[in-house]
């Protein structure tokens, strides 16, 4: 083992930054053995120097300006754990890459929105981001290295632990979304402003990164169709159970003949599908390759330990001199398939007045849009009152389904906005 340590500067001493300092102290021996030399923190940056973080920062150089870490000659590698696609995180990463210093980051927003230009700036300097997708699950390494020999056709995953926790609790306890979200906020599983998570944006950032790695197309966050989980109701969970499905927020990237589709939205997945059983705060990533078939990885997608585990794995690679291009290969533009062209099966729940002829009106609209029904379920009877009616369809095109829903919603007997959830194959 070399006695010459790899020195690192850590910007951001919150959940992840604190976790990295702790892991490097707790597992110093195993990390040094695998890195071939010790990995030593020499400098740090955060906003509030006086905060008690429960960390031993004695003897470490402190920078109020995170970007100054890049110019510290006693820092070999910059670790960015501040977060955000602009501001201090971006300034630091750019300053470090300009100075030719390797960067390790957990920042999915930065990678999803600025990943192409950062890769260009990096050139042959390592820019590593295992922690940016699915926390402790080595999804990036699996795609970029372990499965590198495959033509990948699909990457799908449960990419946001907050959403998976909320959906799992709604199913297990038969509770409504708003009620479970409020509890998750109290327990610290959801932020006080939860929109980034529950509106699917965080999952879309991660999917953008996975799609670039899987398909070699430039990161393009704007191409991702994004829907969150606010509109999923307790009733949909009951219906899903009866139909043999679980409801999950999935990020799905697929290569089709028409191009690459990337979408994040609630899905009905068959109860027997491996991803259907990934519950609570856990994440999962599923990759389908032409040679390897389906590979499913699951584990903790967030938290100090799992995320630090991924950050330090990147540091070990850098210490060993193991390095692949930022996106695994040069990126080449590929057409994106708009959501209107998506084809799949659909779950549609309507609240309709229980009176003769209503179902015939609804099925007439579906027929006019070339949509064929797979099943129909009506719960209870209450003449003259609203009752739920659930329809599942055979494969059809999203544009036709949207047109049908607009007409169904306008029917006098339809009392609420129809609920639509896409059905994914096992
Ligand atoms: N939390 C997770 O489980 C998780 C999982 C995967 C990826 N990530 C990613 O990891 C990154 C960090 O997340 P986190 O949860 O650790 O965030 P966090 O707990 O909010 O910590 C952010 C840290 O950045 C520091 N900071 C903010 N502005 C700064 C500035 N201008 N200069 C220097 N330091 C500054 C803060 O300083 P103060 O402490 O002084 O306020 C704090 O220590 C984000 O990109 C996030 O998306 C997090």
């Amino acid at each position: 083992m070399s006695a010459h340590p790899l020195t690192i500067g850590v910007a951001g001493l919150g959940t992840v930054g604190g976790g990295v300092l702790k892991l490097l102290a707790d597992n110093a021996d195993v990390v040094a053995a695998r890195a071939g030399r010790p990995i030593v923190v020499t400098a740090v940056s955060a906003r509030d120097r006086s905060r008690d973080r429960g960390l031993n920062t004695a003897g470490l150089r402190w920078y109020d300006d995170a970007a100054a870490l890049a110019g510290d000659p006693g820092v070999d590698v910059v670790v960015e754990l501040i977060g955000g696609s602009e501001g201090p995180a971006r300034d630091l990463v750019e300053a470090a890459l300009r100075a030719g210093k390797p960067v390790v980051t957990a920042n999915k927003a930065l990678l999803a929105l600025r990943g192409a230009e950062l890769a260009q700036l990096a050139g042959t300097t390592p820019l590593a981001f295992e922690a940016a997708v699915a926390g402790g699950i080595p999804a990036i390494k699996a795609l970029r290295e372990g499965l590198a020999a495959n033509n990948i056709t699909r990457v799908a995953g449960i990419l946001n632990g907050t959403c998976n926790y909320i959906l799992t609790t709604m199913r297990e306890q038969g509770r409504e979304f708003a009620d479970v979200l409020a509890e998750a906020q109290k327990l610290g599983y959801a932020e006080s402003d939860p929109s980034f998570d529950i509106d699917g944006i965080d999952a879309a950032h991660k999917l953008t990164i996975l799609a670039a790695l899987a398909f070699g197309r430039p990161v393009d966050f704007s191409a991702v169709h994004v829907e969150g989980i606010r509109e999923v109701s307790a009733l949909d969970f009951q219906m899903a159970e009866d139909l043999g499905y679980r409801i999950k927020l999935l990020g799905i990237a697929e290569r089709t003949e028409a191009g690459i589709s990337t979408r994040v939205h609630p899905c009905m997945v068959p109860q027997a599908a491996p991803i259907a059983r990934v519950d609570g705060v856990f994440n999962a990533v599923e990759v389908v390759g032409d040679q390897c078939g389906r590979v499913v990885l699951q584990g903790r997608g967030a938290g100090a330990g799992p995320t630090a585990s991924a950050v330090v794995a990147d540091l070990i690679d850098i210490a060993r001199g193991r390095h692949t291009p930022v996106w695994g290969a040069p990126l080449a533009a590929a057409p994106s398939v708009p959501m209107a062209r998506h084809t799949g099966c659909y779950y549609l729940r309507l609240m309709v007045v229980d009176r003769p002829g209503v179902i015939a009106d609804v099925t007439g609209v579906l027929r006019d849009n070339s949509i064929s029904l797979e099943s129909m379920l009506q719960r209870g009877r209450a003449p003259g009152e609203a009752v739920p009616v659930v329809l599942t369809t055979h494969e059809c095109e999203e544009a036709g389904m949207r047109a049908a829903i607009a007409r169904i919603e306008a029917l006098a007997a339809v009392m609420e906005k129809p609920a639509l959830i896409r059905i994914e194959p096992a």
Side-chain angles (χ1 to χ4, degrees):
M1 187 193 302
S2 163
H4 181 64
L6 183 78
T7 57
I8 67 167
V10 179
L13 296 174
T15 305
V16 185
V20 167
L21 261 61
K22 188 167 179 312
L23 189 158
L24 287 172
D26 292 351
N27 287 7
D29 290 349
V30 75
V31 169
R34 292 185 177 141
R37 51 187 164 140
I39 296 179
V40 177
V41 182
T42 55
V44 291
S45 174
R47 270 180 307 209
D48 182 356
R49 197 170 182 157
S50 62
R51 177 178 297 174
D52 178 10
R53 304 169 190 275
L55 298 170
N56 182 7
T57 52
L60 303 182
R61 290 184 292 286
W62 178 282
Y63 290 94
D64 289 321
D65 173 14
L69 276 176
D72 184 330
V75 167
D76 297 328
V77 179
V78 165
V79 181
E80 184 280 304
L81 302 170
I82 298 171
S85 59
E86 297 297 332
R90 183 180 172 195
D91 293 346
L92 170 61
V93 170
E94 288 182 352
L97 294 176
R98 265 195 213 100
K101 284 197 183 175
V103 171
V104 174
T105 177
N107 191 334
K108 51 252 178 179
L110 182 68
L111 265 300
L113 298 173
R114 306 257 160 234
E117 60 209 63
L118 289 177
Q120 230 175 1
L121 186 59
T124 55
T125 303
L127 167 59
F129 48 90
E130 183 62 68
V133 178
I137 305 174
I140 307 280
K141 219 175 193 10
L143 263 179
R144 192 171 49 193
E145 295 166 45
L147 303 175
N150 288 265
N151 281 303
I152 308 284
T153 51
R154 177 181 159 99
V155 186
I158 294 174
L159 301 174
N160 184 277
T162 303
C163 288
N164 206 36
Y165 169 81
I166 292 173
L167 294 175
T168 302
T169 308
M170 287 176 72
R171 176 178 64 79
E172 286 176 350
Q173 300 177 9
R175 290 161 62 197
E176 288 295 352
F177 169 78
D179 177 29
V180 176
L181 171 63
E183 183 185 82
Q185 287 173 310
K186 256 190 236 146
L187 293 169
Y189 294 154
E191 306 278 340
S192 52
D193 175 3
S195 50
F196 215 62
D197 291 317
I198 63 175
D199 292 332
I201 299 158
D202 176 73
H205 283 151
K206 295 167 183 168
L207 186 71
T208 303
I209 295 170
L210 291 175
L213 288 163
F215 304 126
R217 81 134 183 225
V219 274
D220 186 2
F221 178 69
S222 65
V224 185
H225 173 86
V226 192
E227 291 171 28
I229 62 169
R230 288 180 199 261
E231 291 181 7
V232 180
S233 78
L235 188 52
D236 295 320
F237 277 97
Q238 283 172 29
M239 298 296 184
E241 205 67 31
D242 290 354
L243 291 163
Y245 294 114
R246 292 274 160 88
I247 302 174
K248 296 287 175 191
L249 182 79
L250 298 187
I252 302 168
E254 284 166 317
R255 187 204 291 278
T256 67
E257 275 179 16
I260 290 163
S261 78
T262 43
R263 51 200 170 95
V264 172
H265 53 71
C267 297
M268 295 260 177
V269 286
Q271 282 167 4
I275 223 162
R277 293 142 189 249
V278 177
D279 281 333
V281 295
F282 281 79
N283 281 198
V285 177
E286 182 182 286
V287 183
V288 180
D290 61 350
Q291 305 298 318
C292 64
R294 174 156 62 181
V295 173
V296 185
L297 302 164
Q298 65 170 291
R300 293 184 187 279
T307 314
S309 156
V311 169
V312 175
D314 280 342
L315 289 168
I316 291 171
D317 275 349
I318 291 169
R320 283 282 187 192
R322 288 193 292 258
H323 173 40
T324 51
V326 176
W327 296 105
L331 301 178
S336 295
V337 182
M339 197 60 194
R341 298 272 80 84
H342 167 72
T343 57
C345 302
Y346 291 81
Y347 159 99
L348 195 59
R349 177 179 53 77
L350 311 172
M351 297 303 291
V352 300
V353 180
D354 188 6
R355 67 170 182 241
V358 174
I359 299 298
D361 291 346
V362 170
T363 52
V365 172
L366 294 173
R367 182 204 54 223
D368 293 350
N369 286 279
S370 311
I371 297 167
S372 71
L373 282 180
E374 205 241 332
S375 72
M376 201 185 81
L377 198 84
Q378 180 176 341
R379 269 291 183 83
R381 283 234 54 200
E385 287 177 37
V387 290
V389 171
V390 166
L391 311 164
T392 62
T393 75
H394 290 297
E395 204 159 272
C396 60
E397 197 174 71
E398 176 97 5
M401 180 49 96
R402 287 281 164 207
I405 289 178
R407 275 185 58 198
I408 289 170
E409 196 172 353
L411 293 172
V414 175
M415 307 306 288
E416 288 176 13
K417 187 177 168 217
L420 172 142
I421 302 180
R422 298 171 190 86
I423 300 173
E424 289 298 315

